[in-house]
Amino acid sequence: MISPLDISTSALVAQRVRLNTISGNIANMSTLKNEEGENKPYQPRFVVFKTDEDKAEGGAAGVKIDKVEIDQSEPKYRYQPDHPLAITEGKWKGYVAYPNIDMNEQFVDALEASRAYEANVGVIEVTKGMTRQTLSILA
């Protein structure tokens, strides 16, 4: 049987990964080159959760990370013809490609993830208290 502690622990791990991904997005809001040094802006990541079917018994299941996906949306373009990384030809000539990251959206996602984290810590505390009370009654 999967315990409430296992369910909450799996949620804590999942939300931690989500917060780390969000903080990576915020940290790379101004990154204009990829790991290979090409003039390609950072592409934001987002976490996809799924039910942890491996431990599911009696309708109770935890959560696990399905994958961390890369957002494939177009970058934001700003006209900066004097910038050293400005596009030199084509439709976007004179523009600089910036990551398509909305700071407000990232903050709201981070707030949601931290609240979910706090809620699961609360569940763990309540479960520990109930277990402690049960043991004191039985003793």
Side-chain angles (χ1 to χ4, degrees):
M1 185 168 118
I2 188 167
S3 75
L5 290 175
D6 293 334
I7 294 170
S8 291
T9 301
S10 70
L12 290 175
V13 170
Q15 294 301 335
R16 180 182 49 87
V17 171
R18 184 175 174 205
L19 280 169
N20 286 342
T21 304
I22 292 166
S23 65
N25 289 341
I26 293 170
N28 285 294
M29 282 186 67
S30 298
T31 303
L32 303 179
K33 291 187 174 192
N34 63 11
E35 292 84 21
E36 292 82 33
E38 300 170 328
N39 289 350
K40 186 174 179 188
Y42 176 82
Q43 293 176 287
R45 275 77 170 150
F46 60 95
V47 179
V48 178
F49 298 146
K50 76 176 193 177
T51 305
D52 190 358
E53 298 292 342
D54 298 336
K55 299 180 182 178
E57 289 182 22
V63 65
K64 66 181 180 180
I65 304 298
D66 185 25
K67 56 191 159 195
V68 177
E69 290 192 355
I70 297 175
D71 186 0
Q72 298 298 324
S73 64
E74 282 288 313
K76 293 180 182 177
Y77 292 99
R78 294 187 193 143
Y79 187 68
Q80 297 175 312
D82 296 332
H83 195 285
L85 298 178
I87 299 170
T88 57
E89 56 190 38
K91 174 183 173 184
W92 296 107
K93 183 177 180 179
Y95 286 82
V96 177
Y98 284 89
N100 191 6
I101 299 173
D102 181 9
M103 179 70 85
N104 292 328
E105 182 180 321
Q106 296 298 314
F107 278 160
V108 169
D109 286 347
L111 183 61
E112 182 182 316
S114 64
R115 293 274 168 88
Y117 193 94
E118 290 170 6
N120 282 289
V121 169
V123 169
I124 290 172
E125 292 301 319
V126 168
T127 302
K128 285 174 26 184
M130 288 178 13
T131 304
R132 193 177 308 113
Q133 294 246 340
T134 302
L135 290 174
S136 70
I137 292 171
L138 295 174

